[in-house]
Amino acid sequence: MTQKVLRNDWLTAIRLWLFSMKKNLGTAGLVTACASLLCPGLFFVNWSYPVYETPTLYNATDDAMIVMTIAAIFSCLLALLLVCLNFSYLYKKSAGDLFHALPLTRAKLLLARFAGCVLPALLPALVNYAALFMLSADRNIVLPVSFLLSGLALNVAVVLCVTAFSTIFLVLCGTTFSFLASFAVFNLGIPAILFIGDHIAGLSLWGYTSDMLEVYYHCTPVLYAGTRYLTLYETTGWELWMHIGILILLTAVCLLVSCLLYNRRKSEKAGNAYAFRPVRYGIMGITCYVGSFVIGYLFDSQFLPLFWLFAAVGSLLIALAFGAIMDKGFKTAVRSLIVGGVCFGLLFSTFLGIGLDVVGYEDQLPALSQIESVVYEDMFGSPMEFDDPAAIRSLHEFVIKRNPRDLLKADPDEEKYNGWYSMDVTYKLKNGQTVSRSYNSHDLTVRNRLTAFLFSDEYRQSIDRLVESVGEGHLYVGYYIWNPEGAYGDWFELTLTKAEYAQFMDLYYSEGPAVDQNADDYFAQQLGYYGKTGASWSFHFPCSTKTCVKTTAYLHTLFEAQYPEKTQLFQAKQANA
Amino acid sequence: MIKGIGLTKTFENKVALDTLNFEIEDGCIYGLIGSNGSGKSTLLRLISGVYAPDAGALLIDGEPVFNNPAKKAQVAFLGDTPYYLPQANIKEMADFYRQMYESFDNKVYARLLEIFPLNEKMRIATMSKGMQRQAALILAIATCPKILLLDEAFDGLDVVMRQVLKNILIEGMEDRQMTTIIASHNIRELEDLCDHISLIHNGQLKFNDSADRLKGKLHKVQIAFSEMPPEEAFSPLQVLKSERTGMLLQMVVRGYKDEILEHCHRLSPLFVECIEPSLEEMFIYELEVAGYDAKSLTE
C-alpha cells in the first residue's frame, strides 16, 4: 500500500461536481416529471385547440411566454431544493466533518456542490423548451427559434443567478430552517420595506408619484433575475443579452462573496441559527420592521394612535418570537427586545421623516436649464409633450405654492376648495433622469389657473402641432345635441378635416375662457383622434351654451352635413316642443 | 510529523484547546485520552483540517492543514458519529471516497471487506451501530492515509473486531509508516496498542510521552515507619497524592522508581514498596491533581 499525494485538487472538485450531479439527478427527474404534468403537459392539452381551430398561421409567442415563465419558476424552485439538500452538510456536524475533511479548498468544495445543483435544476426548463422547439417546427405555428433560444439563455442565467445568490445565505446561516426563512425574508422583506415607504409617501407627500416599479425590480437579485420574463418579447436583442450578461456577472459576484464568506465560516457553527451574528440581527430587523407595520395596519389603517400602539407591541413580540425560534429559548430575549424597539423606532422615524418632508420633496422643481422636455397632462386631456417647458414649469410652480397644507392654514372663507383639478407633469432632464409629479385636489384658484392655461397660446400651439403630425386615422370632435327641455341630449362624433379643425379652434379660442364648471349648462367639447397605428388622444374644451355660441353653431352645421336624418329628427322634436 | 504550536481553539466563551504545543512523529500509534469535553475531538478536527485554529498553528510536515488539499489528502478522519451520504450503501460510499482520494486502494478495500463481514450493497442507515462503525473503518483505512484519525474507534465494536482493528492499525504502521491517532475514553484499549500517550484536560496537555516512559514516571508507593517522619521529609519527592493509615503511608509519586526508592530508604522505613500503576490509574491520578475526580465532583 503506497500513499499517493493528490496534486491537483481541481480534478477532485470536478469529480465531486460529477458525483453531486449524479446524486441530484434522481430528485431532479422526479420534480421534472411532476412539473411536466402541469407544464408542458396540461398547458399543451388546453392550448392545442386554438391551433387547430385557426385556419391561418397561429402566433404562439404569447403562449410560449407562459410556458417559459413557468419553466423558469420550476427550475428556480428545484435549484433551491437541491442547494438545500447539497449544502445541508454545513448544518450538520458529522456531515460537515466528512465534507470539510475532503482534500479540497473550501472555495472549490462550494463551487463543485453549486455546479452539481445547477445543471440538474435546469431539467424542467429543458423539457419545456424541447416541447417548444418541436412546436416551432410546425409550419402553422409562429414561434421564432431565436425567441426560444434567447428565452433559454435567460432561463439558464436566471437559475444561475438565483442559485448563486442563495449560496450566500447558505453560508451565512447555520440551519436549513434559518436559511429558508432568511432567504424568504430578504427577498420579500426588502420589497415590502420599499412598499411601506412608498405607501407612506403616497399618503403624506403632496404631488408624490410612485415610480418605484424599476426600484422593486432591482431591489434583490432574485427579483432582478426574474422580472425580465415579463417583458421578454418586447425586449430588444441587445437589451436582453445585456441583461443576461449582468445576470452572469451577478452570479460570479455572488459566488465570489460566498467563497470569501465560506473561507471565514467556522465549521463548528453547524446547528447554530446563524454562522455570522450580524446577519441574524439584519434578518430579524427586516422581519420586525415589516411585521410591525402589518400588525399596526391590521388594527388601524388610518395611522392613528392605535396603529402606533399595536405596531410597537407587534415589533417587540416579533423580535421576541424570532429570537426564541432561532435560539430554541429565551436566552437572548433582552437583545431581541432591543432590536424590536429599534425597528419600531425606525418605522416611526420613517413616518416622521416622510410626513414632515425632511428632504423637501414637495417643493422640488427642476431648474429650467436642466429640463430637456416636459410631458403635461391635466383634467382637460391626454398627455402632451412641450418642447418649451417654461410655461409648464411656471404652472407647476404655481401649484407647488398652493400646497394644500398651506391652504389649511389660510382663511376658510376664501372658498377655494370647490374646484376639482388634476395635473401630472413629467420632466425629462438633460442628464437622462426624469422627475414626475401628480396633483389632484379641490382648489378653485389652481383650477382657474389651469383653465387659463388651456386658453394660452402655448397650449393651442401644442394641440396644433399634434394635429399636424397625425397620420391616417380619425380626427373628430364630440357634439352634444341638447334636448328641447334643456337636459343633456345625445352625443355625436363629428369627423374633422384639418381645415375644419382650424376653424373650430379659432372660434372656440375667440370666445374666451370664461367657464363656470358649476353652471347648469356646462359641458365639454371633446377633440379626439385615433389612428390606424393604435395612437389616440383626446382633449376637452370646457363650454356652456352661453359662452360657446359661435362654436356650437359651427359644430351644428357640421352635424347637419354629416347626420342629415338625425338633424331632421332633432328639428321635428324642437318643433313639437 | 504533526506539530502543534501554541494551538488554541475557542467555542463561544469556552476555551477548548489552550496554547497546545506538541509533536507527533511519523509511524506511531498515538493515544489521546482525556475527560469529557477536554478537547480530544477538537484536536482531531484541527489535524484533519475541519476546524481552523483560532491562534497558533497546526502543521503537517511543516505545512498548515486548514484549506490545504495536499495535506488533507494525507489524512483520513473518522469522527465519533460517522456520516454517510443519504441512502448510500458501502459500495456507493466507496465510490465517493474513490473519487475524492486518489490514494484509495481497491485491493485494501477488497481485503477489508473480507475481514469485516459486511454486505457491500446493504444500506448503511439500516446497519447496527457496530456494523456502521466497521463500514466507516473500511472506508477510512481503504484511502490508505498517511495519518489516520480515529475518534472513539472501538465504540460499538465487539471484542474480536477490536482485536482485528488493532492488528490492521499495527500493520498499517509497519507497512507504510501510517500514523494513527486514537482519541478515546477507554484507556485499557489504548494501553496495549499505543506507543505514545497524551492526556488532555481542559484544553491542556497534562502529559505527552511514549507509553513505556509514562509508565516509568508515576508510581504508587507504600511505606511503613515505626515512627512517622515529618511531612518535610518527603518534600524532595513529587507527591501527587498521599494517604496515611496508622504508621502506613500510601503515596502516588511522580518520578523514576530508583530515585523514589533511594529517597525512601534514606528515611529508614520498616517496609517500602514501589508499584507501577496501570495507564488507567495514572489517568485518574493526573486528573485528581487537576481537580477532576469522582469524589470532588459529587461533593
Side-chain angles (χ1 to χ4, degrees), chain A residues 1 3 97 106 267-268, chain B residues 9 45 50 67 72 108 144:
Chain A
M1 292 187 284
Q3 170 68 34
D97 286 350
R106 288 208 165 185
S267 306
E268 60 267 28
Chain B
K9 185 71 190 169
R45 286 190 173 89
V50 172
N67 237 5
K72 283 163 86 176
V108 175
C144 299

Side-chain angles (χ1 to χ4, degrees), chain B residues 192-204:
Chain B
D192 57 343
L193 176 68
C194 297
D195 42 21
H196 273 74
I197 302 280
S198 271
L199 170 65
I200 188 164
H201 182 66
N202 282 342
Q204 290 178 322

Side-chain angles (χ1 to χ4, degrees), chain A residues 191-201 216 289-290 293 347 350-351:
Chain A
I193 288 173
L194 291 174
F195 174 79
I196 290 168
D198 199 19
H199 185 67
I200 300 168
Y216 285 128
Y289 186 92
V290 177
F293 179 85
L347 182 68
T350 309
F351 263 88

Side-chain angles (χ1 to χ4, degrees), chain A residues 382 467 470 473-479 491-497 500-501 504 525-531 535-541 555 558 562-563:
Chain A
S382 300
V467 172
V470 297
H474 184 217
L475 182 66
Y476 67 91
V477 65
Y479 176 60
W491 189 87
F492 295 92
E493 215 172 70
L494 305 175
T495 306
L496 291 180
T497 61
E500 286 165 343
Y501 157 77
F504 161 72
Q525 295 286 9
Q526 184 188 355
L527 174 75
Y529 166 79
Y530 45 87
S536 69
W537 45 257
S538 71
F539 294 94
H540 297 87
F541 297 96
L555 290 181
L558 292 177
Q562 292 180 22
Y563 297 93

Side-chain angles (χ1 to χ4, degrees), chain B residues 147-213:
Chain B
I147 299 162
L148 178 64
L149 308 173
L150 303 174
D151 199 355
E152 300 299 345
F154 303 101
D155 209 19
L157 297 184
D158 61 43
V159 185
V160 178
M161 284 304 148
R162 286 171 191 221
Q163 197 50 53
V164 168
L165 176 61
K166 285 177 187 175
N167 293 342
I168 290 170
L169 297 180
I170 292 164
E171 191 182 291
M173 183 183 74
E174 287 172 354
D175 287 0
R176 49 191 173 84
Q177 285 288 292
M178 180 174 82
T179 307
T180 305
I181 303 176
I182 309 173
S184 180
H185 297 107
N186 195 335
I187 303 153
R188 284 182 190 160
E189 291 289 355
L190 302 183
E191 196 164 8
D192 57 343
L193 176 68
C194 297
D195 42 21
H196 273 74
I197 302 280
S198 271
L199 170 65
I200 188 164
H201 182 66
N202 282 342
Q204 290 178 322
L205 280 182
K206 294 294 169 192
F207 56 69
N208 174 24
D209 214 334
S210 76
D212 294 338
R213 274 208 298 270

